[in-house]
Structure formats: C-alpha cells, structure tokens
Amino acid sequence: MRELLARLRDWFRRDRLDRELRDELAFHQRQLERDAVAAGVAPAGTESAARRQLGNLTQVREEARDRWSIPWLDHLQQDVRYALRGLRRSPGFALGVIITLGLGIGANAAMFGIIDQLMFRPHAFLRDPGKVHRVYLRYTFQDRTITTSNFEYKRYLDLSQWTNSFSDHAAFFLETAAVGSGAASRERSVGAVSASFFDFFDARPAAGRFFLPTEDATPRGADVAVLSYPFWQSEYGGQDVIGQPIQVGGVRCTIIGVAPKGFAGVSEDDPPVVYFPITTFAGSRPDEDGREYFLNYNWGWMEMMVRRKPGTSLPAATTDLTNAFARSWNAARATQSGMAPADVAHPVAIPGALKTAAGPDPSLDARTLLWVTGVAVAVLLIACANITNLFLARALRRRKEVALRTALGVSRGRLLAQSLTESTVLALLGCGVGVVIAQWGGVALRRLFLAESATFLLFRDARTLGAALAAALAAGILTGLAPVLQARPGDLATTLKSGARDGTHRRSRTREALLVLQATLSVVLLVGAGLFIRSLSNVRDFRLGFDPEPVLIATRNFRDMEVSDSDRVRLARRMLSEAQRIPGVEHAALVSSVPFWSSSTTGLFVTGIDSVQRLGQFTFQTASPDFFKVLGTRILRGRPFSETDIAGGPRVAVVSEGMARVLWPKQDAIGACIRVRADTMPCTTVIGIAEDAVQTDLLAQTKFHYYLPLEQYRPERAFAVMLRMRGDAGPAADGVRRALQPLMPGEAYVTVRPMGDLIGEQRRSWRLGAAMFIAFGGLALVVAAVGLYAVMGYDVTQRSHELGVRIALGAQPRDLIQFVVGQGLRFTLVGIALGSALALFGSRWIEPLLFQQSATDPIVFGGVALLLVAVGFLASSIPARRATEADPNRALRTD
C-alpha cells in the first residue's frame, strides 16, 4: 500500500521527475565526457565513449519512469485524450450523442429525485430509519378489504400496551388550522403529536425545549407549542420567543421551543409550522369526541409510528402487532354491536413503510408514479440503443484504423478499454447536460408530484446526482461494449488493402435489432400515453351528478369556541341571507356535508328489507331548498324539497336513482316510506328521484344517496354555504370571504374555496399519467426517429457504390426511394408488432390505473401504429432522396 501511494504521488509529479531525470543523465554524460578527455580520447569520440559507459539511455529512462508510473492510469489518460481529440474531429457526432444521452439521463434523474423523496428517502433527523414504521390496519368490511393508517387514540393505547416488539411508540395527527390571532391569523399546517414523537429523531431544539410526557397526558395535555424553524424565522425574525403566547386553532398555547432547521417530522406534504401535544388537541374539542377520545373507539383520526426493538424481525413484529389489534378489535366490538367478529373481519396490523407511498396500499398517484419511472427507464434504453447504433456505424467506418492498430500489436482488450473510455466520456458529458435538464424539468415534476413547499435542488442532492452518475456509467458501458464485441477479427491484409468498392453495405443484425428495440419501446410508451389521454378525457366528460365548476364552498371555523346550537342556526341563516345578496351569486344553500370533502351516514330502515346496510353504504345530505339549483343536480321524477318543507311538517326526502333502483326495484319510489336514524322514527316520504351523484370517490361503483330538508333534520349541523356563481368561481372566492367574514363572532373565521379544487384532487393521478406519458412518449418517438434517420442515412452513404451501379443499370429514382423507404418501414413494422404485443401483455397491470378505459383499446393501438408508420416513412424518406443522387460514373470508375 505504501508503494502504491508513493507511485500515485509520483504519478502526479511525473513531468517534473522526468525533467530531473533528463538533467541528471545529461550531467552524468558530461562528467564521463570530461573523464574521457582526461584519458586522452579525441574530442570527436568523447560523446560516443560516454554513451557506451552509460548504456542504453532509453532503457534507463523507461526503467526509471516505471518507478513513478501506474500503467492502467497512463492508459486511461491516453484514452481520454484520444477520445477528446475524436470529439473535436467529429463535433456533430459528439453533440448528438451528448444531447441524446442527456435527455435520457435527465429524465431518469428527475424521476429518481421525485420517487426517492416520496418513497425511499428517510425523513430528516430520523434515527435508525430501517426500524421505524407507520402502523397500518387492514380488515374486511362488506366483502371489501380496507387498509388504513388512521385509527382511534384508544386503539393507539391498546397497541402500545399489548405489544412487546417495539421500543418506542408515538401518535401524530397533521391538519390545517388557524394559527395566530385576529387579522394576522392564517390557516396553516399544524402537527398534534405525542411527547414521544420527538424521541424518534436525533434533533435538538434550536431554542427552548420539546414538550414533556407530563405535558401530553390524558384527558387534556398542557397548552404548549414548539415552532418550526422556518415559521420562527419568517414570523418572528428568529428573535427570542420562549414564553410568548400563540393561538393554534382554539387553543392559546405558550411557546416552549423551536425545532431545528430542516426538521419536518414525518410530513410528506406541507410541513407543520407548529407542534403541540396530541392530547391537548383532542382534549380541547368541545364535543363528545373530545371528552371521551381516550376511552372509546368512536373517533378514528390519528396515526401511529413505532420503532422495532434490536433483534426483532419484521415478521415477528407483524405477528405481535396483529395479535394486539385482534384483541383491541374484540374490545371495541364489546362496546359496538354493529362490528363484525374477528373471524369475519380478519383484522391485521402491519408495521409498514413510514412513507405512505411505499406502504401496503399505495395510492393511485403512487402507482402511477412507479409506471412513469419505468417509462423514464425505457426512454434511457431507447437513447442507449440509438447511441449504440451510431457507435456501430462509426466502427464500420473506422475498421481500417482498427485493423492498422491491431497489425501494430494493439490487443483486443486495449481496443475495448479505449472504446469504453470514449463512450464513458460522452456519457459523463451527457450526464452534465442531463443534470441541467433534470433541474429544469424537476420544477415542473415537483409541482405535479410533490407539495408546493417541497424543494428540488438537484445540484445539492447527492442521492439524485449519484443516480444520474450511475445511469451515465451504465449507458457508457452499454454503448461502448457493443462496437468492440460486434467487430470480428478478419483478414488484416484484406481490410488494409480494401478500396472504395469495399464500402458497400454490410448487414449488421445487431444494428437492426437495436432499431427494432427503439420502435418497440416507443410503441409501448405511446400506447400508454394514448390510454391515459383517453382516460383523462373520460374523467373530464364523466357526469358527476352536479356541476362543480361554478360552485364556491364557504365554511365557518369557530376555533373550538363554545357555540350553542341555537347560535349556530342563527349564524348559518345570516350567512345564507348575506350570500344570496352578494353580486354574481345565482343561488345559495346551506349544507351539512360537501361532496368529495365530507359525507354522513346514519341508520336507514325500509319496510320489507331486513337490513338496508347489507345492500351497501347509504349516505345522506341535509340542505336548504335551493341545494339542487346550486349544484345543478337534475331531478328526474317528482320534485325537490321547497320552502314549505319545514320543521313540524310532513317529513320528506329525495333519493338518488341508484338508491331507488336497489330499494324498490319493481315499483315507483315516489311516495315510498323510509325511516331515518331508527325504525321507530316517523315515516319520511320520498317526493323526488335525483340523478346519481358521486359523493366521495370517482371510482365508486354504487351511488346510494338521499337528501333531507335541513329544517327537518338537525339544522345546527349546517357547516357550509354553497354558492353558484354566474362566472368562474375561482376569482370570486376572495370577495365572498370578505362579505361573510364580518358575520363571524370573536376569533371565528370563514374559508372559501372553489369546489372544482376538490374534484381536481380526484383527477390528479390521470392528469399526471397523461402528462408524463405524453412527455416521455414524445421524447422516445423523437429519439427513435432520429436514430432511424441516422442509421438509414449512414447506410445510404455506405452503399453509394452499390446505388450508383443500380442507377447505371437503369434503376429509376422511385425504385431507389422505394428500396430505402421499404427497408426503414420493415424495421418500423416489426417494432410495431413487437411493441403492440408487449403493450397487450402489460395491459392487465395498467388497466387499474385508468378511468373507464380498456387497456386494449383498438383505437389507441391503431392510432399509435399509424403514427409510427408515418414517422418511419418520414425518417427514411430524406436518406431515400439522397440515394437518388448517387453518381453512376464515379461508381463505375472506382477500383
């Protein structure tokens, strides 16, 4: 090792050592010449005498240089210099390779940065991340398997007490709440966490301290808060805030600490600006849920994280946690008779990935993201195939050079090393371009996949830079190996003596296979793009049962103020009255729930049906009379409720078409009787049939929903005003908020948002899939087209002699065009066939990501095939026109 280090040190100063060696040998030669003169040798012979005494100076220099030389490093330096000289000689070739690889590497680096942040990158400051898990609960309900990470605080206590596999447990809940007082209050992300939460991290407070276990005790914790570092800097300027008050929701807390810079807990979206005890959050709620959250299993809201003990395997921890969950299930069932027994529900608890995108039930967004990542890899493969083809073509042109070097004694391994060095240099330059592309494109990807607050600074991200470098090295090796492995050791003399006639076309099955591979992968990506485009179109055209675009939702937040039911009703009616007077408002209605935001269920009883619940889930909505006008939900038969349907009058209801069909399949539902909440309640008469409307999920198969007049069913439950605007709802939101805010008592405030934003969140995955498949599919198509053009153009150049002879023998221009274009289309057609077969094979996996769209849609497959044929024709037609310009006289005069 010491000798290696000495050689390495001398290698970096070898120029100086070489000069010193030359000077020392010259000194010794002068000394020997002087001695020869003293011995009587004639002056003309002194130099020869000195050289005879010194010996072979070249051998002396080589032996000395071996002491400060590292052969493989010398060869690498020579190969890099040779590669750079080659790039200067062929700048067009180099630029094409660098840009093509840059696009492929950039796409993969950008996608790796996103998927790493969403699924694999540990949270900042997290200690021993390999042993920290989020707890997921899985059970069967109405023949459906449900997986969730949200459950009751009482369940958290059960799992903490009845397991032995974990050294730490923590509860957390992330929500949006008003932070601050008066006009300065803003809705921000806040974290309600247990005191043990901070023990999962190697993080010391930037100021003050974290809260203690005694401050996080049931039934209600202490009113203390820890600020996030960015919030401390932006709102307080980094000044001393310990002991100052801060309003968080309905709790007035005392600031006791500031989290360190970069700390975001386990947030995957918008990091909390303040943390306070989870028992403070739950215990401060004025309703029954807040008073008994730690005693019963009625309120499922929080999440749990655990750390496995050293030496405890994941399967053993899963078994332990599942046993505790089954015990907790039975304890909950003892207090809730409607729960299924454990042998029917099959409760299972899973210590899974802390990041939900990598959890046991990833969202549609996460699954789409994985497919998009595979698409990015396919783009890189297409780029590598393209570059490899270019290297193969250039290897044919340089075969004389290779033959000459082989004749001079260069080994096949040395040629391979030189080829790999050249391709790797190009790949590394492409990596630099790719990093710039990834940084630029990463901003758009962050907006699609990550929260607005997430950062994407690739130049500071060692993991993503490492992935980009690994992709570049892999691409360099793949593209550099093929030309040398494809070369066949032939007759050196024949190759060296070959003339222009030997420039005729030489068929290469490897190059043909690479062209087909590019076309195949392009077909797969374009089919995916077409399917997602059709799916997104289906989503946009899908009738929701209402018109969300012109609707605004105004919700009130009392910040946990004690407000009586009568005051709530009076305030709701004042808000409705004021909303109806706002310019631009067509209709307004009070509602108890909002589609895609909240839903309500209760007991439902129908004469002649033993259990309505077995037929599915029935949700209900209570609203004021103009509700159907606000949403634009059509009444198919009968009538909607009106101002005459008041408290104390005959109870009425409007039911959805799907609900009428399943409850009264062979009779008219108008006039039918339902009983709400209990079978002893008075009859509620069905007066109208409304079109089916989506309430919670675009993918929901059943739409059983009914509507009740707000005045007849708990008017105090109205929590929002829905307004139908004459124009676009978005720009009117701020004006509506300003009009309604003066009605709010004390610290209460109004939040207004367009209903279209709620629907947009549901459409997000299909929009992402369409956007990314289109981008990468288009990129793949361009790269494949350029590759086909380059190969066909090179073939035409190589076959110039043959084409000239064909013209001399009477071939017409159309014959040559047909010959060249036909060859290009053959590659394209084979790629279309293979790509279509591969897309059909993968259809069963991609179809669950689509919306009401078959993954084997013949229109998509046919359209992609026609597009590839057109691109193949265009890419081949330009070289074909050049083929018609071959000179027959030159071909016939060539030796």
Side-chain angles (χ1 to χ4, degrees), residues 122-128 200-204 260-264:
H123 294 278
F125 298 101
L126 185 65
R127 179 162 44 89
D128 198 8
F200 281 77
F201 302 90
D202 287 322
R204 295 183 178 180
K261 185 177 181 180
F263 180 83

Side-chain angles (χ1 to χ4, degrees), residues 290-305:
R291 291 190 295 271
E292 300 182 357
Y293 74 96
F294 62 99
L295 299 175
N296 56 41
Y297 302 89
N298 295 333
W299 181 26
W301 53 287
M302 50 136 285
E303 297 184 79
M304 179 180 184
M305 58 191 293

